[in-house]
Amino acid sequence: MTGFAFELTHRDGLARRGRMTTPHGAVETPAFMPVGPQGAVKAVTSDELAAYGTQIVLANTYHLHVRPGHELIAELGGLHRFMNWSGPILTDSGGFQVFSMKGLTKLDEDGVTFRSHIDGSLHRLTPESSMEIQSALGSDVAMVLDHCPPLPAARDEVELASKRTTRWARRSRDAYRGPGVPFGIVQGGTDEALRERSAAEIVALDFPGYAIGGVSVGEPPEAIARVARFTAELLPEARPRYLMGVGRPEDLVEAVAAGIDLFDCVMPTRNARNGTLFTSEGKLNIKREQYRRDPSPLDPSCGCETCAHYSRAYLRHLFVSNEILASRLNTIHNLAFYLGLMMKLREAVASGSFAAFRETFLAPR
Amino acid sequence: MTGFAFELTHRDGLARRGRMTTPHGAVETPAFMPVGPQGAVKAVTSDELAAYGTQIVLANTYHLHVRPGHELIAELGGLHRFMNWSGPILTDSGGFQVFSMKGLTKLDEDGVTFRSHIDGSLHRLTPESSMEIQSALGSDVAMVLDHCPPLPAARDEVELASKRTTRWARRSRDAYRGPGVPFGIVQGGTDEALRERSAAEIVALDFPGYAIGGVSVGEPPEAIARVARFTAELLPEARPRYLMGVGRPEDLVEAVAAGIDLFDCVMPTRNARNGTLFTSEGKLNIKREQYRRDPSPLDPSCGCETCAHYSRAYLRHLFVSNEILASRLNTIHNLAFYLGLMMKLREAVASGSFAAFRETFLAPR
């Protein structure tokens, strides 16, 4: 656990403002982690990530394991050097992709066997091998392998998955050899009793940080907010709390209200490539005819490169013309929006004005 | 012709070093123009273009006419503002695309009728309408509409096309109302006599600059160099000379040796997206297995962002993983290579060492 620490600097209601220190630098929380599935946040460079306030990046163990392979990345000096990102990196366990990408061929107490979506080759992931892969990648935070049941799932199934998640969490913790720290994951679906039991078991394993898993698999937003609220309260105050895979800007605000510190989601980057852009006045689909002659920036209150230099009319033209630059400029804007939102949330919590910020942000427009 | 000038500052053999002044700033020649077919140089921003030494951009009249339409661009303040490029822009006439994209439905003395490759709609391009479109775009250099016969073409056909090019050049010149200047185009295929006649006719029309057209349509490199050599000598010393659509790095060096000042080609950007990269040690195909574990930069003697921050192994991973960032980082490198080559050529001509530079550059590696 060398070089890892977490301190809370402010509280405002249940919302928290803190600082997570890692071997590759500090992360001011609450923080959003852009997702780089294959060792690159799609369409942007690591310099741009930093320029718009990215503090920590999430990379997918599954993707990097099947291509180019974690041994190759280790041989080349680790993921930080490989992707030219000198800040903190969090890696997931690979389990989420295995459970959700339909490559799963066998699930047993020891682990999961799956076929690569690239070439159909067979791979085996166990709590121990997942941590070994993450060690090879050199991430600052490594997630334990969890059993993430798909929705809808019977209560029995969720309960079995939660219990297995605990057993796998212990094995993951015991197997992990750094260079970062392992985070535990609480499962239990949307069931309060199951979440309570899972949280108690995982917290008993004494992880440096805790994630709330098994959300963002298709539940309505209210369910995500509810699970975040009651699960956050079950986690130790002094450790960082990470709500995995969430979500929309309003979901982030609600989760911060519940006391969550860390987030990741492909939404800003994926939506950007689909032409859906987040603005201070709501979402906007740039391919709509109404923007054909629109000389105004995407979001007049945004200072990103895209809004500073380009009109909606130009961005629409790039999008309908399939220009690569469309993905790029849209991604920059959406990331700037998410990262700017996190900065505002941190400021609101620090200044004790979070409730007002939340009310304004969530007010119907 | 307000704001346009050309001065030669150095000569070294037939090679020339000069400065072309336009309403949007000066261009040190010999210069290479990156191509932005749809109002964007694919995968890069205008700030990056400038950062790597782009002085002037070429945009395609055909593409911008069919989408989003030149009236729309004019309404939004012109192409410079639309694409956020404050430097000089040269537009082609649209003719090359019409003749080469198989949308041509009718060719007569007045002009060409063609179907849009986007929606099949019928469009008419005449010398007058091409200049009107280019005026609406607001380019600094507008090319006359020429008749560019495909290869192989019978001598008769080339001769007819050359004569028509002269008639169209006169109409284009007379119709053009600014804001830039029109350049004439010499046709005549690979036939010296036809080139000679075409050059005499076009030069008699007294254009501010002259292009050599009808090359780069499939001839062998030797033919391009030969045509450049004998056609350049037919053009007035005091006006800029532009070899359209050329070419490979070695073609540029040979054409500069012949006294050419301006170039455009999609090769650096298109090859980048296909994984073919230009380096000081020759071409390199980044998807080859041999680069899988290669920790070295693309080109150790290059200072671009791609070479400064990323390994061949990472660039190969991005390419085989279909990451947008691959197109982007590869494009930055190839443009840096081309623009860096032009800078070296300018320095060589200015210092009187062009012959030595040429010999070294063209020596077998």
Side-chain angles (χ1 to χ4, degrees), chain B residues 241-314:
Chain B
R241 302 163 179 170
Y242 162 30
L243 184 61
M244 302 181 83
V246 174
R248 301 174 309 158
E250 48 272 41
D251 299 332
L252 303 189
V253 174
E254 285 300 64
V256 166
I260 301 293
D261 309 300
L262 290 168
F263 302 91
D264 80 285
C265 193
V266 296
M267 188 171 281
T269 45
R270 180 176 292 166
N271 276 8
R273 300 195 304 284
N274 295 334
T276 301
L277 299 160
F278 296 95
T279 80
S280 57
E281 291 167 352
K283 279 201 291 188
L284 171 163
N285 189 327
I286 197 63
K287 61 177 170 281
R288 290 181 63 176
E289 174 71 19
Q290 73 183 94
Y291 302 121
R292 213 172 94 79
R293 300 178 174 273
D294 189 340
S296 57
L298 268 184
D299 186 346
S301 70
C302 175
C304 81
E305 181 183 359
T306 306
C307 291
H309 294 319
Y310 302 97
S311 63
R312 292 173 175 180
Y314 184 68

Side-chain angles (χ1 to χ4, degrees), chain A residues 64-84:
Chain A
L64 294 171
H65 167 65
V66 298
R67 187 174 60 194
H70 56 283
E71 303 94 339
L72 176 68
I73 292 176
E75 182 187 321
L76 291 164
L79 184 56
H80 293 83
R81 182 189 291 188
F82 190 59
M83 66 183 287
N84 186 41

